[in-house]
Amino acid sequence: MSSFTGNDPIPESSAPGITLRERMRAVERRDWWLWSCAVLITLLLTLAVISFVLPNLHARWPAFNSAPVSDTVLGLVAMVLLFDIYTVYQHFQVQQVRKQLIAREELFRLITESAADMIAVVSVSGERLYNSPSYEKILGYLPNEIEGTAGLEQIHPDDREKVQKAAAEARRTGIGQSVEYRMRHKNGNWLVLESMASTIIDAQGLVEKLVIVNRDITNRKQLEEQFRQVQKMEAVGRLSGGVAHDFNNLLGVIIGYAEIVQEGLDTTQPIRSSVDEILRAGHRAASLTRQLLAFSRQQVLDPKVLDLNTVVKDMEKMLKRLIGEDVELRTDLSTESARVKADESQVEQVILNLAINARDAMPHGGKLVLTTSNFHMDENFVRRYPFPVNVGDYILLRVSDTGSGMDSRTKARIFEPFFTTKEKGKGTGLGLSMVYGIVKQSNGYIDVSSELEAGTTFDIYLPKVDQPVDTSTNTATSDSLGGSETILLVEDDPSLRALAVHMLESCGYNVLEASSGAAALEISRQQKVHIHLLLTDVVMPGMSGRVLAEQIVAQSPHLVVLYMSGYTGQTVGAHGVLAEGSYFLPKPFTRDALARKIREVLDSRMAASAN
């Protein structure tokens, strides 16, 4: 913001401190002096000619006769010659100033035509006096379409009052104002402009004109909004992850003891149905917490190298049954390798959730297309994101439909947990938030493009890997889920610890319990009985489960570790993913799930030792 009087500085070749306007005024004064001298000399020459033509003047004024004619003529010629020299010099000065003006005008033209910003000069009444060529490049208006129009004509009606106040304040104070407002493009779209105004002051110190520099900040505003959305998603994710962690412990106790009560009741007893409802509600709540953990990227994944083409092919039959006969399912899979490292069950969950959303967006039928392709993200491509994105090779999974689509406001919120456009009771609002979390936790990226009545397309980028596909399978569990091995149980929640002890002992295991990592280390040192398995929570105060496992395994290399948790954050492995070869049991778990997992882990270790 500034003000100036319009006195342009002269080029470097001119005298310092003298402005072009001052020099022009000096030339004008000399020009007036030149014309005054010309008039005077013309009068003198006219009198001289008259004196020669009229002899009577010689008789009346004898002084004419005393002056030699030749001297008089020479004097007149000299006067004319001096006048001509002065005239040539003065015209040379005028020509110099004109050249400077032309150079200045050319420089101004180059600046305004090359400037990315729009430059306008308006009068204090708002009439447009000048518009730079950038107006045509940015707003699409030809010069004759915008010149002579009112300055507020293309401004959004809701922003006109703000612009008028800024202009009035500039006229009152002589200091330009900075303001943001929306301006209409020729195609009807609204662009966000950042305007910086400067005032031109006349000789009386009053504001004569306003010089306005407008910058198109539409893309910057969109990036800022995307960045705020990312920050909001991160904050909601941290909150939901923490809530899900605590809630999982409570659910584990509820489900576990409900199962114990259920086993002690005959199916004919009236209270049995109430216990069954408690268990069903507990399992539904556990499913919700898993979705929250997926969104917050705090669930534990078991990534393996898999072929995305194979995953899609294996799901085709199930997807066809899911979306119904009125929706056509098409797949266009890459002929090249589509290997990624991810949790196969979670990738299936992503495809499943997107297919369900697509089906709901096409109540009268349509087309659902799944495609895979190799994609390279270069420096130019990653600039579109307001957050850091790794350059490299990716596998692109595209899921597109021909459904109803969505507007920009809905699209900005689709990944928020509990946000849904479905009718009450037909959706939890966690499906897409779960997709977002799984993709992010798999080091991938997700984009969405959609327009009303034009369908929706989700682009999922997962890092490409060159390792061979992992074909390992879990060791078959024993027919009996019980055992007699010794298990060291470490859980900081007393209710959940007591429940786990009861479950393990009911399966025949010898259980040693500890409430912290330090207590578990002490038990391990003092215990004379061989400990076969360490069952530990991941997140505990003081010492994490992984640190505890590393220290105990260092003392007893043959001991096998089974982690359990409903929340990991960044504790286990990189980016919250378990280290290779680790075993994990998600909370909340049932007695059957606990018994099967422990038997699987122990049998796997026995098989490995035998080999």
Side-chain angles (χ1 to χ4, degrees):
M1 296 180 291
S2 61
S3 61
F4 54 90
T5 59
N7 298 331
D8 298 326
I10 61 173
E12 295 179 357
S13 58
S14 302
I18 303 177
T19 65
L20 192 61
R21 177 173 291 187
E22 291 173 347
R23 191 168 181 185
M24 276 296 297
R25 287 176 178 173
V27 170
E28 288 174 357
R29 287 195 296 270
R30 291 175 185 174
D31 203 34
W32 280 109
W33 173 250
L34 178 67
W35 284 106
S36 300
C37 291
V39 172
L40 180 61
I41 291 174
T42 301
L43 291 175
L44 290 175
L45 289 176
T46 302
L47 290 174
V49 171
I50 292 174
S51 68
F52 287 116
V53 173
L54 301 175
N56 293 334
L57 293 176
H58 294 267
R60 184 173 298 180
W61 289 293
F64 280 104
N65 296 327
S66 61
V69 174
S70 59
D71 292 344
T72 302
V73 173
L74 287 175
L76 293 173
V77 171
M79 183 179 296
V80 172
L81 181 60
L82 289 174
F83 175 73
D84 290 341
I85 293 173
Y86 180 75
T87 302
V88 170
Y89 169 76
Q90 195 64 20
H91 278 290
F92 176 77
Q93 293 291 316
V94 172
Q95 190 65 23
Q96 285 284 90
V97 173
R98 284 175 179 170
K99 286 182 179 180
Q100 292 173 15
L101 287 174
I102 293 172
R104 274 307 170 88
E105 185 175 348
E106 179 66 16
L107 179 62
F108 176 76
R109 184 187 65 81
L110 290 174
I111 292 174
T112 54
E113 288 185 358
S114 303
D117 297 337
M118 296 176 286
I119 303 172
V121 179
V122 299
S123 65
V124 291
S125 61
E127 181 184 357
R128 294 180 181 273
L129 305 177
Y130 170 79
N131 298 288
S132 67
S134 300
Y135 271 86
E136 182 177 355
K137 298 177 185 176
I138 297 175
L139 294 175
Y141 294 103
L142 297 174
N144 59 346
E145 292 175 330
I146 200 169
E147 286 179 3
T149 61
L152 299 174
E153 188 171 322
Q154 287 81 23
I155 295 176
H156 195 283
D158 295 342
D159 297 337
R160 289 176 184 174
E161 183 179 355
K162 177 169 56 175
V163 175
Q164 287 174 325
K165 286 183 179 179
E169 186 68 14
R171 288 193 297 269
R172 187 181 67 83
T173 62
I175 301 175
Q177 300 290 313
S178 175
V179 65
E180 291 182 5
Y181 58 90
R182 289 161 291 178
M183 201 166 191
R184 186 176 57 244
H185 190 277
K186 188 176 180 179
N187 61 14
N189 294 333
W190 293 100
L191 303 181
V192 182
L193 304 183
E194 181 182 55
S195 178
M196 301 289 292
S198 300
T199 57
I200 298 178
I201 309 300
D202 61 15
Q204 288 74 35
L206 301 177
V207 177
E208 185 180 18
K209 300 179 184 70
L210 293 176
V211 178
I212 303 173
V213 179
N214 295 307
R215 175 168 296 173
D216 182 10
I217 60 170
T218 306
N219 291 335
R220 190 183 82 189
K221 285 292 185 182
Q222 291 173 349
L223 289 176
E224 288 175 355
E225 181 60 31
Q226 291 175 11
F227 183 67
R228 281 193 294 269
Q229 186 72 9
V230 169
Q231 286 184 314
K232 181 171 68 174
M233 299 280 280
E234 291 289 343
V236 173
R238 286 192 295 270
L239 174 63
S240 60
V243 171
H245 168 236
D246 295 336
F247 196 51
N248 267 334
N249 286 341
L250 297 174
L251 284 175
V253 175
I254 294 171
I255 293 173
Y257 282 112
E259 284 185 333
I260 294 173
V261 174
Q262 185 188 53
E263 290 176 358
L265 294 174
D266 188 79
T267 55
T268 59
Q269 291 184 284
I271 199 173
R272 174 62 184 264
S273 60
S274 300
V275 176
D276 292 343
E277 285 298 324
I278 292 173
L279 277 172
R280 278 193 286 270
H283 289 307
R284 285 197 300 270
S287 176
L288 288 177
T289 58
R290 280 195 297 273
Q291 290 178 318
L292 282 174
L293 287 171
F295 163 72
S296 60
R297 289 171 281 165
Q298 292 168 346
Q299 64 176 347
V300 174
L301 301 182
D302 187 13
K304 292 181 175 61
V305 178
L306 53 91
D307 191 326
L308 203 55
N309 290 336
T310 304
V311 175
V312 175
K313 286 178 182 177
D314 292 344
M315 294 186 67
E316 272 194 71
K317 290 184 179 178
M318 181 187 67
L319 290 176
K320 286 180 179 178
R321 291 194 300 269
L322 179 71
I323 61 179
E325 296 180 354
D326 56 345
V327 176
E328 178 187 356
L329 176 64
R330 290 180 54 190
T331 57
D332 183 10
L333 305 181
S334 171
T335 56
E336 302 177 10
S337 171
R339 285 174 290 181
V340 298
K341 190 169 186 179
D343 189 316
E344 184 171 354
S345 64
Q346 299 299 324
V347 172
E348 292 173 349
Q349 189 67 51
V350 167
I351 297 174
L352 190 65
N353 286 358
L354 294 178
I356 291 173
N357 274 340
R359 179 201 63 190
D360 294 342
M362 299 182 287
H364 305 295
K367 185 185 297 182
L368 174 64
V369 182
L370 277 69
T371 63
T372 60
S373 61
N374 284 265
F375 190 87
H376 178 75
M377 284 193 183
D378 55 18
E379 293 287 349
N380 292 329
F381 184 83
V382 301
R383 289 195 187 101
R384 62 193 291 187
Y385 296 101
F387 46 82
V389 175
N390 295 324
V391 174
D393 293 324
Y394 291 80
I395 300 299
L396 169 60
L397 171 63
R398 175 168 291 171
V399 181
S400 57
D401 63 62
T402 57
S404 56
M406 56 187 125
D407 56 26
S408 57
R409 291 186 178 180
T410 303
K411 187 170 65 174
R413 299 188 60 192
I414 57 172
F415 295 124
E416 293 181 15
F418 304 111
F419 175 77
T420 180
T421 57
K422 299 177 183 178
E423 298 177 12
K424 188 175 181 180
K426 290 190 176 182
T428 62
L430 288 173
L432 288 179
S433 63
M434 187 177 184
V435 169
Y436 176 86
I438 292 172
V439 172
K440 287 294 184 181
Q441 196 174 0
S442 302
N443 298 319
Y445 308 97
I446 183 168
D447 278 343
V448 57
S449 57
S450 180
E451 293 183 8
L452 287 174
E453 306 305 327
T456 302
T457 298
F458 287 91
D459 288 338
I460 298 172
Y461 303 90
L462 296 175
K464 183 179 180 181
V465 298
D466 296 324
Q467 294 97 321
V469 175
D470 191 344
T471 57
S472 61
T473 56
N474 293 331
T475 304
T477 59
S478 304
D479 293 336
S480 173
L481 297 180
S484 58
E485 292 89 346
T486 300
I487 297 175
L488 175 56
L489 170 66
V490 188
E491 169 60 58
D492 60 303
D493 187 283
S495 300
L496 195 57
R497 185 172 67 250
L499 174 64
V501 169
H502 178 83
M503 288 179 173
L504 293 172
E505 288 180 342
S506 66
C507 293
Y509 294 106
N510 180 32
V511 183
L512 304 173
E513 58 177 297
S515 60
S516 66
L521 285 175
E522 188 63 26
I523 292 173
S524 175
R525 293 191 191 99
Q526 296 178 359
Q527 189 64 33
K528 296 180 180 179
V529 180
H530 176 65
I531 299 176
H532 299 86
L533 181 139
L534 170 65
L535 176 60
T536 178
D537 193 7
V538 175
V539 180
M540 296 184 296
M543 182 184 298
S544 70
R546 184 172 185 179
V547 174
L548 169 65
E550 289 173 350
Q551 296 187 22
I552 290 184
V553 170
Q555 299 173 6
S556 306
H558 298 290
L559 178 142
V560 63
V561 180
L562 173 59
Y563 296 103
M564 58 177 179
S565 182
Y567 163 79
T568 63
Q570 302 298 322
T571 305
V572 179
H575 306 294
V577 183
L578 282 174
E580 297 291 341
S582 298
Y583 298 99
F584 180 79
L585 177 65
K587 292 180 181 178
F589 47 78
T590 63
R591 188 181 70 167
D592 183 70
L594 175 64
R596 287 182 181 277
K597 191 67 180 181
I598 288 179
R599 195 68 260 160
E600 173 193 330
V601 172
L602 290 172
D603 290 349
S604 297
R605 174 52 61 94
M606 290 174 60
S609 300
N611 293 332

